[in-house]
Amino acid sequence: ASDVYKRQCMECGACAHGQSAAAARLPTPSPDPTPPLPYIAMRIQHFAAFSLDGQGGNPAGVVLLDQFPADEVMQRTAADLGYSETVFAARQASQWQVRYFAPTSEVPFCGHATIALGAALAEAHGNGAYPLVLHDGTAIAVEGRVQAASMSAA
């Protein structure tokens, strides 16, 4: 299992001390000529996988959804966050459909974002194993645990 901790939300700054990192921030005005996307409120969580005692780690964005927004919205969100990867997960029956986006493109898989997702799922839905289905149809699972002030996933 890998330790995971939440980072303070850089957008709202109001989620230190283990509170949920949230931001409803799409679209972000951009100086580039890309047309704006429709406004969509999302709860964007900020995690650092492979951390130890709340230090270090590999940051990832995690977005739990009822259904996926348009690809362009997920791509823009990942670009705005600027982490190496952001994972989007939408519950479908007893499993979670999962997609990973880097700032410039969708990627097939990301280990540290999957660890962050496990911690987020445990925090939101309780400790346990969660079946995941990647965008290419590959089935995997992640196990998340929240105990007192610590989180872990494998």
Side-chain angles (χ1 to χ4, degrees), residues 74-118:
M74 291 186 285
Q75 184 62 67
R76 179 82 59 89
T77 302
D80 287 349
L81 284 175
Y83 294 141
S84 59
E85 281 83 23
T86 297
V87 60
F88 296 84
R91 180 180 269 176
Q92 191 170 44
S94 63
Q95 59 194 12
W96 290 84
Q97 299 292 317
V98 179
R99 296 181 67 186
Y100 304 90
F101 285 81
T104 59
S105 65
E106 185 169 7
V107 296
F109 181 76
C110 176
H112 76 277
T114 303
I115 294 295
L117 175 60

Side-chain angles (χ1 to χ4, degrees), residues 7-34:
R7 291 183 178 264
Q8 180 176 353
C9 178
M10 292 182 284
E11 181 70 20
C12 70
C15 49
H17 312 299
Q19 298 299 312
S20 295
R25 57 195 235 48
L26 289 179
T28 299
S30 174
D32 66 39
T34 307

Side-chain angles (χ1 to χ4, degrees), residues 1-4 49-50 109-122 128-132 140-146 151-154:
S2 173
D3 287 342
V4 180
F50 309 116
F109 181 76
C110 176
H112 76 277
T114 303
I115 294 295
L117 175 60
L121 289 170
Y130 292 91
L132 310 177
I140 63 171
V142 66
E143 184 173 350
R145 298 258 178 251
V146 176
M151 297 181 203
S152 63

